[in-house]
Amino acid sequence: MTERAEPGAVAAETSVVPGVGKRRRGWVLAGVAVVLGGVLGFHRLVPNWPGRLGSLIESFLPWGSVLVVLLLVVALVRRSAVALVALLLPVGVWVDTFGGLLVPGEESGGRELVVVQHNVSDENRDPAGTARALADSGADLVALEELVDPQLAAYEKALAADYPHHVVRGTVGLWSKHPLSGEQVVDIKPRSIDEGWSRGLRAVVRSPYGDVVAYVAHLPSVRVGVGGLASQRRDESAALLGRAIADESVEPVILLGDLNGVVEDRGLRPLTSQLAVAESGFAFSFPAAFPLARIDQVMARSAAVGHIRTLPATGSDHLPVVARVSLE
């Protein structure tokens, strides 16, 4: 014998369950927002294992804004007030961390050097055109990486008129409008790399405002795979470079280079712990076709790096970056 449901029982069930589902989804969204805010604000606490997870997250921290926008859209569609309130956390953390980069840099007081950093690519098919584009920036200093024969001769010829002083060591070089002295190799080669690898140099620039030490470096590449971020060699090289800069006796110091890492990446802490980074501008430089991160850096000590921006694409897979360095 089939029992008959009491009138209104089914209606009561269907009227309650949907509301419960919406509230649950709202709390799930709120939870995701809180976790995202925590990662953005406390990424240094994320362990770097397995697969250098912490460095991997830090490499893409600015793109946390995309996740915030996606969560905002979902929260609006779901009409979840609790999720919208929770989203204030990641929004606030992102603005506090990266909002300053959106503000135009302050006007210089006059004691400044304009510098360009560019990994020109060892497969660049138009080195002369690349050199001319960099010279058109009017920079005082131009740092280049991946300089190989026969392209090197083309760079030297194309830059000679605007930059009468230059030094090349290994595959990195520095071109200057001002005299150079004290040129030397900086050994940043990881132990696991064979001999013949030279990607660091130091030179003293006799600028109109006094001597400035310039370092040019190209740290080892990193790879993202199923095992995570392979950055052991990069991190070791960064530590060697950081040690050399810490021992530097001349001030100010300017570091230009393809560091294969963003300034938030803990693998670059040996450098960012003692050098100032750009105060404004994102200047995503790699890959040139669809820039996702700025791995081409300008840093300084006893000086301030103002607004940093990219220049138009050249024949490289990197975009050039240009910045104004104000000397103290």
Side-chain angles (χ1 to χ4, degrees):
M1 185 174 178
T2 304
E3 296 184 4
R4 296 182 61 186
E6 295 182 9
V10 175
E13 290 181 7
T14 57
S15 63
V16 172
V17 173
V20 172
K22 287 182 179 180
R23 287 195 294 272
R24 287 176 179 173
R25 287 193 291 268
W27 282 105
V28 169
L29 287 174
V32 173
V34 170
V35 170
L36 177 58
V39 171
L40 289 173
F42 302 98
H43 54 89
R44 294 291 184 196
L45 300 181
V46 177
N48 219 20
W49 52 268
R52 279 177 159 72
L53 177 62
S55 283
L56 182 60
I57 290 174
E58 288 161 349
S59 297
F60 299 99
L61 273 184
W63 294 100
S65 59
V66 175
L67 297 179
V68 171
V69 172
L70 290 176
L71 288 175
L72 175 62
V73 171
V74 176
L76 290 173
V77 171
R78 298 293 186 185
R79 298 181 181 179
S80 172
V82 66
L84 289 172
V85 171
L87 276 169
L88 294 175
L89 175 62
V91 169
V93 174
W94 191 94
V95 170
D96 180 65
T97 305
F98 299 108
L101 297 178
L102 299 173
V103 180
E106 297 181 0
E107 292 295 327
S108 169
R111 289 172 48 86
E112 69 173 20
L113 295 175
V114 179
V115 300
V116 164
Q117 150 60 30
H118 191 29
N119 179 328
V120 295
S121 175
D122 55 10
E123 298 180 352
N124 194 320
R125 297 183 179 181
D126 185 20
T130 296
R132 288 192 296 270
L134 300 178
D136 288 343
S137 69
D140 295 278
L141 303 176
V142 175
L144 305 181
E145 297 82 44
E146 293 198 13
L147 294 169
V148 295
D149 292 327
Q151 292 98 320
L152 174 57
Y155 290 112
E156 291 176 326
K157 181 178 179 180
L159 292 170
D162 294 289
Y163 300 92
H165 313 282
H166 85 281
V167 55
V168 175
R169 294 291 185 269
T171 58
V172 300
L174 177 68
W175 274 257
S176 173
K177 290 186 175 182
H178 314 297
L180 300 175
S181 64
E183 302 94 334
Q184 64 187 67
V185 170
V186 178
D187 185 8
I188 58 172
K189 181 175 70 68
R191 289 166 293 181
S192 60
I193 294 181
D194 296 334
E195 295 295 330
W197 191 96
S198 180
R199 292 188 179 183
L201 70 80
R202 169 197 183 272
V204 177
V205 181
R206 294 184 176 180
S207 81
Y209 317 109
D211 288 350
V212 176
V213 175
Y215 283 78
V216 181
H218 183 190
L219 302 189
S221 299
V222 300
R223 296 288 184 268
V224 180
V226 293
L229 188 71
S231 64
Q232 295 91 332
R233 287 179 171 178
R234 193 277 313 272
D235 296 351
E236 182 182 349
S237 190
L240 292 171
L241 180 58
R243 197 172 306 153
I245 292 176
D247 293 338
E248 179 58 61
S249 59
V250 179
E251 301 285 344
V253 174
I254 300 176
L255 169 61
L256 305 117
D258 174 4
L259 304 186
N260 273 301
V262 301
V263 296
E264 293 80 19
D265 189 336
R266 67 192 66 184
L268 298 187
R269 283 290 294 167
L271 302 172
T272 55
S273 62
Q274 58 178 317
L275 297 170
V277 300
E279 297 173 349
S280 69
F282 283 96
F284 293 152
S285 64
F286 183 83
F290 188 78
L292 294 172
R294 186 178 79 239
I295 62 176
D296 296 274
Q297 305 293 354
V298 177
M299 303 181 186
R301 187 172 69 202
S302 298
V305 183
H307 184 74
I308 189 169
R309 61 184 176 88
T310 57
L311 295 175
T314 66
S316 172
D317 55 345
H318 291 241
L319 294 177
V321 298
V322 59
R324 294 182 178 272
V325 179
S326 298
L327 307 177
E328 296 180 357

